[in-house]
Amino acid sequence: MTLASQIKHAAADALKHLYPEVATDISMIGVNQTKPEFSGDYTIVLFPFLKLLKQKPDVIGKLLGDYLVAKTELFTSYEIVSGFLNLTVKDAWWVNFLLNHFTDTHYGERNKTDRRVMIEYSSPNTNKPLHFGHMRNIFLGAAMAEILKANGNQVVKANLINDRGIHICKSMIAWMKYGNGATPEKAGIKGDHLVGDYYVKFNDEYKQEIAQLVARGMDEKKAEKESSIMRDAQDLLVKWEAGDTEVRKLWEMMNGWVYLGFDESYKRLGISFDKVYHESETYLLGKKIVEEGLRKKVLFKKEDGSVWVDLKEDGLDEKLLLRGDGTSVYMTQDLGTAKLKYDEFKLNQSVYVIADEQNYHIQVLKLIMKKLGEPCADGIYHLSYGMVELPTGRMKSREGTVVDADDMVSEMINLSREQTEQSGKTEGFSQEELTKLYDTIGMGALKFYLLRVDPKKKMIFDPKESIDLHGYTATFIQYAHARICSILRKEKVSLTPDCTKFQSFVQTTELLPLEKKIMLALEEYPVILSESASEFNPSSICNYSFQLAQMFNTFYDAHSISKAESEEKKQLRLMIIVMTASILRHAMNLMGIKLPEKM
RNA sequence: GGCCCGGUAGCUCAGCUGGAUAGAGCACCAGCCUUCUAAGCUGGGGGUCAUUGGUUCGAAUCCAAUCCGGGUCACCA
């Protein structure tokens, strides 16, 4: 149990003893960290009790404070300041806490349970390379997977590849018309980029054709339908659905190029999946569910043969589930995949990392599953995140106005190299070590940049401004960690000392405010970790890590560790920094960010 | 128009289960390297927490209305 909740319970017990005739409730007790301008560690707010206990805050505070100091082993003293009871925790408690946990490299984690969670993320289309927005999705998914694991869940990381549909046919048509048999090898570029270029090419040609038709006096709507290149793409989709061997062969070849490109990008980003679904393999499954729904009369058929669900009583509209010609729509395949995931892995929860523009879609998906009586319905959770936009507005692959993921990674690694060289910190590293270091710093900065913001908020990224390596960044945390490692190296203390070391430590001198401040933060980590899981928000861990690193840096400047005032202080501080480094490593590992021992 | 999300310092964001004088980073100004890594530290200026009303001992936080921005409401995915 955390210290804050121990205090809460102690206070609840105290109130029961002091006011046995009044029914006090633990939920009334607010325990916060004491503001730095007052003395004390934790504060109990007294105002909520005034009415109930019919006494002044000073009276209640004195009774409560006296009781807590006398009857618990937690506190040395208290102070009442205008309705706030500030409690000072015994130094011995902190020292004991430190001795018990400073070598625990899994501090804050919860025990494994049987709870099974799938988290689906990335889920790319195979007609274009990954861009900056996809990276937010990917890092969010990967970080949440690790955070959920650390909180005891069994996690399956899944990727659903959107490998069929009209958008892929567009790239194929453009390649056939203008490609002259180009391949990634011949062109010397990654397959996903090559295919993406033809997707852009298609749209350029499409727009031109429409412009020409409109110039000849056709209205725009009609022109969009009459466009020959669009018709070609639609014909291609029909052939694909019919299983035309030539079309399937081309489709397989071009998708193959894209997969190789994706694999390379994923590898560079340090991302992996336990299970990969392809929409081409799952899109038919939904039809069965729809037929079942028709039998159960949950769904209905219109005259033209199309199948619908009526969501009016839920405040929504009618939603199409199957076209008149019997082909499936986006929702159809999602119904199928949702059930497939559930049946295959017996999930308690199925998390979808998808941009907030699809809030409505997922809401409807969940609702339909519920109406159909599918048990997977309750477990569906949409981790909805805001889009990454450019200062000029949304990124559009079609128009080629995107920040490319591969380019961004290269730029970040370059930037970290430049800054390292500039500050003359390359000494003592081999070329190989430097390459690794630049990757660690560059990728760390990139991941942190995208994870430090609350997922549900949209972000604006200006490509003209490079991502900073100072201030609220991964670099800052990495630097603090490297500093700690440097001290430990010199003191010949392992990053993960064996737990018997320091056990003979005895504390005789009072803890300094800065020492206690860091310990307070260390103690809080488990709460941060579990909240970030329940709220599906990695940014709170970024925030916490930055603050902890900042506290260390302040401490580092104010007090020496190697040359502490006494051997006792040195031992204490070594334990503090061992645990600080350990938590920073743990927290950043969840984000997929590595912390170097030297930089 | 209906529904959903957002609006906090010049910029990017924390804080939101109501609590003490609203916090960081960037940028700007002034200091700090013969002493454990200055990718750092200390201090300073900078705020009508979109607006108005309500709830109460107390509101950035809860409620209502309004304004602004975005998303969505396809036989696209």
Side-chain angles (χ1 to χ4, degrees):
Chain A
M1 189 159 52
T2 61
L3 180 55
S5 60
Q6 277 183 55
I7 294 173
K8 209 168 175 169
H9 282 93
D13 289 345
L15 286 174
K16 262 184 211 147
H17 269 93
L18 295 167
Y19 302 93
E21 71 285 358
V22 184
T24 48
D25 188 70
I26 193 161
S27 65
M28 293 171 68
I29 302 169
V31 175
N32 310 315
Q33 281 189 23
T34 304
K35 298 261 166 193
E37 54 269 34
F38 302 100
S39 73
D41 301 321
Y42 279 93
T43 295
I44 295 174
V45 189
L46 299 170
F47 296 107
F49 312 123
L50 304 191
K51 264 189 191 157
L52 198 60
L53 305 180
K54 299 190 178 76
Q55 282 180 328
K56 292 193 168 163
D58 286 8
V59 178
I60 301 168
K62 183 161 189 334
L63 282 172
L64 194 53
D66 283 339
Y67 186 93
L68 288 172
V69 170
K71 304 281 172 155
T72 71
E73 291 299 306
L74 290 171
F75 311 105
T76 54
S77 61
Y78 70 91
E79 212 172 79
I80 301 163
V81 184
S82 57
F84 296 91
L85 174 63
N86 298 330
L87 295 154
T88 301
V89 176
K90 282 185 178 167
D91 282 357
W93 192 93
W94 292 114
V95 171
N96 194 40
F97 160 76
L98 196 59
L99 283 167
N100 284 333
H101 298 292
F102 84 106
T103 58
D104 181 3
T105 53
H106 296 279
Y107 179 67
E109 288 182 17
R110 287 206 241 164
N111 292 332
K112 269 220 152 35
T113 66
D114 290 334
R115 192 165 184 275
R116 302 172 80 87
V117 180
M118 176 176 280
I119 177 155
E120 180 202 301
Y121 58 101
S122 187
S123 303
N125 291 350
T126 56
N127 62 331
K128 60 195 175 203
L130 303 172
H131 63 63
F132 205 53
H134 295 123
M135 281 200 278
R136 187 177 199 194
N137 178 309
I138 289 170
F139 295 151
L140 255 177
M144 273 320 302
E146 294 309 312
I147 291 167
L148 290 170
K149 273 186 210 168
N151 280 281
N153 297 282
Q154 316 247 3
V155 177
V156 183
K157 298 184 284 182
N159 191 2
L160 170 61
I161 298 180
N162 194 338
D163 61 347
R164 51 149 237 121
I166 191 75
H167 49 288
I168 284 99
C169 293
K170 289 178 183 175
S171 295
M172 286 161 68
I173 286 290
W175 183 85
M176 287 193 287
K177 283 190 176 239
Y178 313 105
N180 296 319
T183 66
E185 291 79 25
K186 277 195 242 169
I189 56 173
K190 279 176 77 211
D192 48 340
H193 286 92
L194 183 82
V195 172
D197 290 346
Y198 286 105
Y199 184 66
V200 174
K201 178 76 180 161
F202 175 93
N203 283 291
D204 288 347
E205 294 296 328
Y206 176 53
K207 264 193 244 163
Q208 260 185 43
E209 203 185 332
I210 288 173
Q212 280 169 9
L213 291 172
V214 171
R216 268 185 251 144
M218 196 181 281
D219 81 278
E220 197 166 332
K221 277 249 167 78
K222 196 171 179 203
E224 280 170 13
K225 280 188 184 161
E226 293 291 315
S227 153
S228 67
I229 195 165
M230 184 58 89
R231 281 188 170 179
D232 289 345
Q234 278 159 349
D235 287 347
L236 203 66
L237 181 60
V238 173
K239 281 187 186 161
W240 183 92
E241 295 232 1
D244 182 294
T245 39
E246 283 302 306
V247 173
R248 288 288 177 126
K249 247 170 92 179
L250 175 63
W251 172 75
E252 272 169 27
M253 181 176 76
M254 289 181 72
N255 269 351
W257 296 341
V258 174
Y259 295 146
L260 285 176
F262 281 171
D263 286 346
E264 204 178 302
S265 296
Y266 286 143
K267 201 175 163 191
R268 216 163 165 212
L269 299 175
I271 296 300
S272 65
F273 301 96
D274 305 312
K275 174 77 193 179
V276 177
Y277 295 102
H278 293 87
E279 199 192 307
S280 59
E281 291 158 0
T282 64
Y283 83 107
L284 294 172
L285 290 172
K287 288 190 182 177
K288 276 191 192 163
I289 297 178
V290 172
E291 281 162 21
E292 182 83 27
L294 272 174
R295 258 201 304 282
K296 287 189 198 161
K297 308 230 190 274
V298 177
L299 311 178
F300 68 93
K301 210 173 229 181
K302 288 196 178 173
E303 286 161 14
D304 63 354
S306 57
V307 180
W308 297 74
V309 63
D310 185 353
L311 302 172
K312 283 197 205 94
E313 60 185 52
D314 301 280
L316 305 174
D317 212 341
E318 292 181 349
K319 183 88 188 169
L320 175 86
L321 296 181
L322 222 47
R323 294 190 185 103
D325 62 5
T327 57
S328 56
V329 291
Y330 182 39
M331 184 59 80
T332 326
Q333 70 94 11
D334 264 3
L335 292 172
T337 314
K339 186 172 160 59
L340 182 70
K341 286 172 169 179
Y342 181 85
D343 290 346
E344 196 173 352
F345 291 96
K346 304 280 171 266
L347 300 172
N348 298 87
Q349 190 171 43
S350 183
V351 180
Y352 293 75
V353 183
I354 302 181
D356 59 8
E357 60 182 357
Q358 293 195 38
N359 285 354
Y360 181 73
H361 176 78
I362 304 292
Q363 190 194 347
V364 170
L365 170 69
K366 190 167 172 149
L367 204 55
I368 295 174
M369 280 309 204
K370 201 149 202 167
K371 281 191 181 294
L372 291 170
E374 291 288 343
C376 66
D378 291 328
I380 292 174
Y381 179 83
H382 182 194
L383 202 184
S384 166
Y385 65 91
M387 313 266 270
V388 182
E389 293 180 9
L390 302 172
T392 49
R394 285 175 70 164
M395 297 185 193
K396 289 187 179 132
S397 304
R398 252 179 297 182
E399 289 159 26
T401 57
V402 293
V403 176
D404 180 75
D406 294 318
D407 290 351
M408 201 59 217
V409 169
S410 302
E411 260 180 58
M412 286 311 299
I413 292 172
N414 264 331
L415 183 67
S416 74
R417 180 175 50 74
E418 275 166 28
Q419 299 222 1
T420 308
E421 285 169 355
Q422 243 174 52
S423 56
K425 297 204 170 192
T426 54
E427 251 175 72
F429 287 95
S430 70
Q431 198 47 244
E432 204 178 316
E433 286 169 332
L434 280 176
T435 307
K436 206 176 141 194
L437 181 66
Y438 300 150
D439 187 81
T440 301
I441 296 173
M443 285 306 307
L446 190 56
K447 289 181 182 179
F448 197 87
Y449 182 85
L450 286 166
L451 288 172
R452 68 183 193 180
V453 183
D454 188 332
K456 68 171 179 284
K457 293 195 175 176
K458 75 169 182 200
M459 335 178 29
I460 294 169
F461 174 68
D462 189 346
K464 280 182 296 208
E465 293 169 18
S466 56
I467 294 173
D468 214 324
L469 300 184
H470 300 274
Y472 185 26
T473 62
T475 317
F476 183 97
I477 295 163
Q478 289 168 329
Y479 182 68
H481 182 261
R483 275 176 146 182
I484 292 175
C485 291
S486 169
I487 298 169
L488 295 178
R489 249 192 324 273
K490 289 189 176 151
E491 293 299 326
K492 300 198 167 44
V493 175
S494 155
L495 276 182
T496 52
D498 76 82
C499 49
T500 57
K501 199 158 181 168
F502 298 98
Q503 281 303 328
S504 57
F505 174 82
V506 181
Q507 177 243 353
T508 59
T509 47
E510 220 179 298
L511 295 176
L512 299 174
L514 283 175
E515 289 166 344
K516 210 150 81 169
K517 196 177 171 192
I518 296 186
M519 285 195 256
L520 221 84
L522 296 174
E523 203 268 337
E524 217 192 341
Y525 182 57
V527 181
I528 304 293
L529 187 51
S530 90
E531 278 177 3
S532 80
S534 56
E535 282 159 30
F536 289 87
N537 184 0
S539 77
S540 51
I541 292 180
C542 292
N543 230 306
Y544 168 86
S545 303
F546 174 70
Q547 281 170 24
L548 182 58
Q550 208 173 31
M551 281 177 213
F552 165 75
N553 276 332
T554 301
F555 189 90
Y556 177 94
D557 257 51
H559 306 288
S560 179
I561 289 139
S562 318
K563 292 177 187 153
E565 304 87 279
S566 64
E567 185 57 25
E568 177 195 321
K569 281 293 183 198
K570 181 167 166 180
Q571 300 254 317
L572 177 83
R573 290 174 193 173
L574 283 171
M575 287 190 283
I576 291 176
I577 66 170
V578 163
M579 190 165 177
T580 302
S582 169
I583 289 182
L584 289 179
R585 244 177 289 130
H586 190 269
M588 288 299 100
N589 274 336
L590 298 174
M591 311 289 123
I593 296 170
K594 292 179 201 133
L595 299 190
E597 293 182 24
K598 276 197 283 186
M599 64 185 281

